[in-house]
Amino acid sequence: MQISELAGRAGVTVKAVRYYEQLGLVEPERLPNGYRDYGDEQLRAVVEIRDLAATGIPPGKAAPFIDCLGSGHARSDECPASVAAYRDGIAELDAAIAELEHRRAQLARRLAERDDSIPAPGLGCGCEVSSR
């Protein structure tokens, strides 16, 4: 199948398929005329990459999953490298959540320390706001 058909069947754009090719996740066959030819294996990989992205694993980190499919597994997360990628993704989220919680605590502390005699912006503090 041509790239446009693959993209349509997988629910992605042609640009996305080309990006997956650049990452080495999808490798089409080449016809004698030089055109790319995609099969069911590439379709399955593109669908998996799309599904992984929807769960928070970006295409740049999808290689262990695609390799797992390529080695004949029924699911992309049946290999140890895929499970490790899940764990890495969870660890990254945990770190981001911890950072956000820290920033929230800092903002809440600053708000609590604020002098209550100063009205909030827009509530008649007498401050002039320039519209420049």
Side-chain angles (χ1 to χ4, degrees), residues 44 48 52 57 61-88:
R44 185 174 181 208
E48 186 64 21
L52 288 167
I57 297 175
K61 295 186 178 185
F65 299 93
I66 302 308
D67 291 345
C68 192
L69 287 178
S71 66
H73 289 273
R75 292 177 43 135
S76 70
D77 58 2
E78 292 179 345
C79 299
S82 303
V83 174
Y86 279 151
R87 288 190 176 116
D88 290 347

Side-chain angles (χ1 to χ4, degrees), residues 30-51:
R30 289 288 183 164
L31 298 175
N33 62 5
Y35 288 178
R36 294 174 175 95
D37 184 45
Y38 301 88
D40 290 338
E41 184 177 315
Q42 288 84 20
L43 174 61
R44 185 174 181 208
V46 170
V47 168
E48 186 64 21
I49 296 164
R50 182 204 64 207
D51 290 349

